[in-house]
Amino acid sequence: MKDKITNILMAGVGGQGIIMASNMLSEALLAAGRDVKKSEVHGMAQRGGSVTSHVRFGRKVFSPLIRKGEVDILYSLELLETLRYTDYLKKETVIILNDYRLNPPSVSLGAKTYPEGIPELVRANFPRTTLIDGVGIAREVGNPKTVSTVILGHLSLYIDMPENTWADIMSDRLPSKILDVNLKAFHAGREIKQVA
Amino acid sequence: MSVTHRKQLLSGNEAIARGAYEAGVLFASAYPGTPSTEILENLISYDGIYCEWSPNEKVALEVGVGACYAGARTLVAMKHVGVNVAADPLFTLSYTGIRGGMVLVTADDPELHSSQNEQDNRNYAKFAKVPMLDPADSQEAKDYVALALDISEQFDTPVLLRSTTRVSHSQSSVSLSEPDRTTHAGKVSIVKDPPKLVMLPANARKRHVVVEERMKRLREFADTFRENVMEINDTDIGIITAGISYQYAKEIFPNASYLKLGMVYPLPEKLIREFSGKVKRLLVIEELDPFIEEQVRAMGLETSGKENVPILGELNPDIVASSLSGYVFKESVPMEKPELPPRPPNMCPGCPHRGIFYALSKSKVFVAGDIGCYTLAFLPPLQAIDTCLCMGASIGHAVGIDKVMGKEGQGKVAAVIGDSTFFHSGITPLIDAAYNKSSATICILDNRTTAMTGAQQNPGTGKTLMGEDTHRVDIPALAKSIGINRVRKVDPYDIQKTREIVTEELDVDEISVIISESPCVLLKGARRKEWEVLSVDHDKCTGCKACIMLGCPAIGWDPEGINGKGKKGRSVIDEMLCIGCTMCQQLCKFDAIVKVP
């Protein structure tokens, strides 16, 4: 029997903090003794373009990339970006969706339209979806840039690992200036109720 | 003896840097290029290694060769197309061989995530007659640096270490070892050896004999190399694979038999024959070219390969699954989706390049482009780049077009090139432009950094990779010294003045250089003191879209909003993104763009 591998896909827009969040996630998993692989693309993918990070963990991981239809958890920082990766999802995929819209240039220029009703569409297809006002919560804890940590905090509820493992990794990796606010943001994300 | 003491999550590039440190590398050089850049950026964090950004990959290899001729273990790193630039020294280095171990890292980019082509640099190993290792994860990326240096010294050859974007930029766990920093440090010295190092014909003919003998010994070595590994499981199918393709294959066919190659050139012929004899059917799974497959076929063995595995782009587990017929795909959830607007990368809000590209797009000239962030100016609405071929090509293109067009081309041809790209390979074509009396207009976009790859130092920044202060190339003085009389500087944030100067220089019938001088806005201290975040006064906005035509990500169009003329549609500025550069404000004829109240 193949050991069960957990697949987490993280999606968003360059500059939103995906890479930082996926670093925290994979460091925490490694610290907890899992085999971890994480993959993303740098360079041209930044500068406000679409960004994804694939994180896979279990006893022994081969491919750093997730197969279509095999994502267990989708972490998404932007509404439209969520829809780009639905091929990777299955009915039972847990979706943690930051309720935030960022217009791509073609929309800003008036050449394309931004689809409406994304949260409803996602929920209708994937019942285990949680919609989070990440920006609102991040503002409340004191820094709107901690959105990616708020959403990571909620994601942590789906991973069997004590909260202090996460806190240890953040203390180890984040500059002291922004540590406290990130710990608060993480905790605030964990406070949000899990879907069934 | 090295001792394993802890595991860390490292990217392939971080692991290569660690491997170089552990293996006693004393000298490292590179030109930044995705996906190779982080190797040297990480290597400088270790003590005792001289690291430099060279102006280009040819120079990086040449200084590296100097260090290795003096006995130092040396690492040189570049992206796949960088090896094209460094190919001249590489091919003859194969003849001279080395003194200290020499590993040349080539980071290939299947799928062209951030490149202008997806060439398969395994072909260079065969072409230059040097061995090549191909790691499959970060642990191997680290370990193979030491192996490459050992092979280099054992066989008196440079060794290519090939990575791909997926290996360089994926993270996986790596066991760290104690560094061996003393064994190799004592070997540095100057040793004269003209028959080996002076490649004039009489010597080089003899060295070619050495190269062919070396290849023979390397082929024998490949058969016993411990990283060429057979895994015999189900013998119905035997998969020959290497690098990242191995991981995808293991994911999809966990029960198949494998010959996993750590060395992809030269291939272990005996081992391949032995493996072939143990399995019913052979399949080669490799990204890009049929490099292994063709050699296996040349051995007279029957195998399948590129008739099932695509030659284009990156592989992934799903694509590998389709390489065996009869494989049943998992169904993903069928879902009706609206049309999704694409989200390509863009020049940043407040980017200084926007000023010069706005002027060029208004002039409607043919703009020979080059490689850097500014290549993104080809996107709408600016659409101000008409070519992009390779590093430094823009100036040469402009000269060629200008020459064949003659009088008719007067004032219609410009070139744009960034500062780092100019130092990389723009200087010689600028000499050509002056020497051969072109009348093109050359715009050097000096933002004081190598921005596309994440802000690396270059010969114009006044800093080295190691953080030391150093000389800065004086671009106007350089241009004047090669015979260019018209050299002008512009502040790209001054839209009116920039347009005037661009128009004037296009009009003159001689070569001219315009230097657009302003630092990348991502650099510390680049934002000017007087800049304040802007917003749109909707009572004044008429919906004319003049500001939209800058293509700034901070400026959006609200089709439903009512503008000051009572019509639908108005501009909006995202206050989170705006840095207050004022370019849009200068374009607004209705004073509708104002400081945030």
Side-chain angles (χ1 to χ4, degrees), chain B residues 123-162:
Chain B
N123 294 297
Y124 268 117
K126 187 161 183 252
F127 198 1
K129 306 194 179 196
V130 294
M132 175 181 266
L133 306 186
D134 196 358
D137 60 20
S138 298
Q139 181 70 54
E140 290 184 1
K142 191 204 77 162
D143 295 344
Y144 284 16
V145 176
L147 287 172
L149 290 164
D150 289 345
I151 293 168
S152 172
E153 286 165 1
Q154 187 184 339
F155 291 91
D156 188 11
T157 177
V159 175
L160 288 161
L161 178 70
R162 183 217 192 203

Side-chain angles (χ1 to χ4, degrees), chain B residues 283-527:
Chain B
L283 168 64
V284 179
I285 298 181
E286 58 190 326
E287 262 173 356
L288 301 177
D289 292 348
F291 182 77
I292 297 171
E293 180 192 338
E294 282 179 355
Q295 295 180 71
V296 169
R297 286 186 197 278
M299 292 171 197
L301 300 172
E302 221 175 282
T303 184
S304 47
K306 288 293 157 189
E307 69 271 31
N308 296 316
V309 183
I311 198 166
L312 306 174
E314 228 187 340
L315 299 183
N316 63 40
D318 289 307
I319 293 171
V320 167
S322 65
S323 65
L324 268 191
S325 53
Y327 189 88
V328 181
F329 275 93
K330 293 215 168 152
E331 295 276 322
S332 51
V333 180
M335 180 174 166
E336 289 277 317
K337 276 198 279 193
E339 190 203 335
L340 304 181
R343 196 187 296 274
N346 200 339
M347 290 194 294
C348 301
C351 175
H353 296 329
R354 205 166 265 115
I356 194 97
F357 282 115
Y358 183 76
L360 288 167
S361 84
K362 285 285 169 190
S363 297
K364 299 193 168 20
V365 289
F366 187 92
V367 181
D370 223 300
I371 294 190
C373 295
Y374 50 94
T375 320
L376 297 170
F378 98 97
L379 290 167
L382 288 167
Q383 294 176 293
I385 289 273
D386 297 303
T387 69
C388 169
L389 187 70
C390 67
M391 291 284 287
S394 58
I395 298 175
H397 294 340
V399 173
I401 294 168
D402 170 56
K403 286 290 169 191
V404 292
M405 292 294 290
K407 278 269 172 275
E408 234 177 275
Q410 170 59 34
K412 291 180 185 156
V413 187
V416 290
I417 184 165
D419 49 337
S420 196
T421 311
F422 178 66
F423 302 132
H424 179 285
S425 47
I427 298 172
T428 36
L430 191 65
I431 293 173
D432 180 74
Y435 170 57
N436 287 309
K437 298 178 151 188
S438 168
S439 65
T441 303
I442 313 298
C443 305
I444 299 174
L445 313 184
D446 183 6
N447 66 356
R448 312 281 167 80
T449 191
T450 317
M452 184 87 251
T453 43
Q456 287 75 29
Q457 303 80 358
N458 70 43
T461 60
K463 287 272 182 197
T464 68
L465 169 59
M466 313 270 294
E468 278 180 287
D469 290 328
T470 185
H471 310 287
R472 279 190 59 184
V473 176
D474 181 338
I475 300 175
L478 176 76
K480 281 183 183 151
S481 74
I482 62 180
I484 297 171
N485 296 318
R486 300 188 68 93
V487 180
R488 310 199 47 190
K489 284 189 183 181
V490 298
D491 172 4
Y493 291 104
D494 186 338
I495 296 238
Q496 184 59 32
K497 191 83 190 155
T498 300
R499 280 197 67 183
E500 278 169 26
I501 291 177
V502 166
T503 308
E504 280 169 30
E505 294 311 310
L506 282 167
D507 281 348
V508 294
D509 188 15
E510 67 176 292
I511 180 82
S512 60
V513 167
I514 300 173
I515 302 165
S516 166
E517 202 176 54
S518 199
C520 168
V521 285
L522 299 180
L523 296 179
K524 230 181 181 175
R527 295 187 189 191

Side-chain angles (χ1 to χ4, degrees), chain B residues 207-219:
Chain B
R207 292 302 301 180
H208 189 184
V209 177
V210 174
V211 170
E212 298 305 331
E213 280 168 359
R214 182 179 76 208
M215 279 314 305
K216 209 174 138 225
R217 285 189 295 129
L218 277 163
R219 280 190 201 99

